[in-house]
Amino acid sequence: MCVTAVESRPAGVVLTPSPGGHRPFGARVKAFVALTKPRIIELLLITTVPVMFLAEQGVPDLWLVLVTCLGGYLSAGGANALNMYIDRDIDALMDRTSQRPLVTGMVSPREGLVFGLTLAVVSTVWFGLLVNWLSAWLSLGALLFYVVVYTMLLKRRTTQNIVWGGIAGCMPVLIGWSAVTNSMSWAAVILFLVIFFWTPPHYWPLSMKVKEDYARVGVPMLPVLASNKVVARQIVLYSWVMVAVSLLLTPLGYTGWFYTAVALLTGGWWLWEAHGLLNRAKAEVTGAKLKEMRLFHWSITYVSLLFVAVAVDPFLR
């Protein structure tokens, strides 16, 4: 694919401040925080804490919840910082990422690399000493999977990048369960699979919206190489599997009526939105009328409501 710059600097060139360049302290602090992608981490924690309630079948130790969340933030933040370090060349060419700290020069590449590696080490030790070593290895495994497998190996090579790369985003479920029990269970595996099948239909609508960005830098997201109809069909397929998997917790005895009701209602609405997107794609609707972002925004609401139900259900059984 042809790569073209979207602004006046040469393609792939990342801005760096001059040796005497002014970088205010407050702006620098915000830049390092931005390297951790806080909004994405919020979503990861939404899936971590409720699983701890389910594992405890009640209220888990609040100190354990706190240290698990902080460790999760440090680990995911380190992974995100290293992701930005590796992707700084294409981030400079994409409208959606052109203001990231390593692109603007507010943080230098060396600083970003050191920052990410430091968070990776600190988070692993944090989990090992304050939670347990099973959670520590799961956390480190998630970080390495996201950085090495997804960012370095899959992202720029295959349309299946977000499918398999999404495994890293499923790991907080396992970490939350292991933090409480220091073991694994089928409940944790089922919720892991819910997030696994949720990730593609969550991210592909956004990719449909910004596919020109990905095409510009040669990243083969599925919407770049396939028609809207093909992408929408894949979204519907993954959506049906996701909803079916989410309903396995109850017959296996891990949840009761409340979780089941929420899973059915929210899953049913998800399928309505997914099929609506497919119908619009089949009708060759394009532009704003395709409304692909409706499913993207609903996907965040869906996973939030579903995991709140995971946390509440033990108190209603």
Side-chain angles (χ1 to χ4, degrees), residues 258-269:
F258 180 75
Y259 170 84
T260 304
V262 173
L264 284 170
L265 290 172
T266 56
W269 187 259

Side-chain angles (χ1 to χ4, degrees), residues 26-252:
R28 291 264 289 161
V29 171
K30 290 181 180 178
F32 277 101
V33 172
L35 282 180
T36 66
K37 301 183 184 178
R39 294 186 65 183
I40 293 178
I41 294 177
E42 287 176 13
L43 198 58
L44 297 179
L45 296 182
I46 285 173
T47 64
T48 304
V49 176
V51 173
M52 298 180 75
F53 279 75
L54 182 63
E56 186 67 36
Q57 285 295 299
V59 180
D61 180 88
L62 297 182
W63 170 251
L64 179 64
V65 173
L66 177 62
V67 296
T68 300
C69 288
L70 287 175
Y73 188 97
L74 294 173
S75 179
N80 290 330
L82 293 171
N83 167 268
M84 286 197 197
Y85 170 78
I86 295 166
D87 278 351
R88 65 192 187 278
D89 59 333
I90 59 175
D91 282 348
L93 303 176
M94 297 173 63
D95 294 337
R96 190 170 62 88
T97 57
S98 62
Q99 295 304 307
R100 285 180 172 175
L102 292 177
V103 177
T104 63
M106 188 58 66
V107 176
S108 72
R110 182 176 182 276
E111 290 172 333
L113 177 61
V114 171
F115 180 66
L117 292 174
T118 300
L119 290 183
V121 173
V122 170
S123 64
T124 303
V125 175
W126 176 280
F127 268 115
L129 297 181
L130 298 180
V131 183
N132 56 59
W133 284 104
L134 174 58
S135 298
W137 299 132
L138 288 170
S139 172
L140 180 60
L143 183 150
L144 291 174
F145 196 94
Y146 183 67
V147 174
V148 178
V149 178
Y150 171 67
T151 306
M152 297 179 68
L153 299 179
L154 296 178
K155 183 174 181 178
R156 308 192 194 197
R157 289 179 171 85
T158 173
T159 58
Q160 295 297 299
N161 48 21
I162 201 64
V163 175
W164 299 106
I167 288 175
C170 307
M171 296 298 284
V173 172
L174 303 184
I175 293 169
W177 188 278
S178 68
V180 173
T181 67
N182 198 21
S183 65
M184 283 291 102
S185 84
W186 283 112
V189 172
I190 290 169
L191 289 171
F192 175 98
L193 291 174
V194 169
I195 300 300
F196 177 79
F197 290 111
W198 169 86
T199 302
H202 158 70
Y203 198 81
W204 279 333
L206 175 62
S207 300
M208 294 169 76
K209 180 74 173 179
V210 298
K211 63 182 178 182
E212 289 80 8
D213 257 0
Y214 286 117
R216 184 182 301 122
V217 296
V219 174
M221 289 294 178
L222 182 61
V224 173
L225 300 180
S227 68
N228 287 341
K229 184 164 62 175
V230 170
V231 177
R233 281 176 177 162
Q234 288 294 305
I235 287 173
V236 166
L237 174 62
Y238 275 91
S239 298
W240 273 100
V241 177
M242 175 197 71
V243 173
V245 170
S246 74
L247 295 172
L248 291 177
L249 284 176
T250 302
L252 291 178

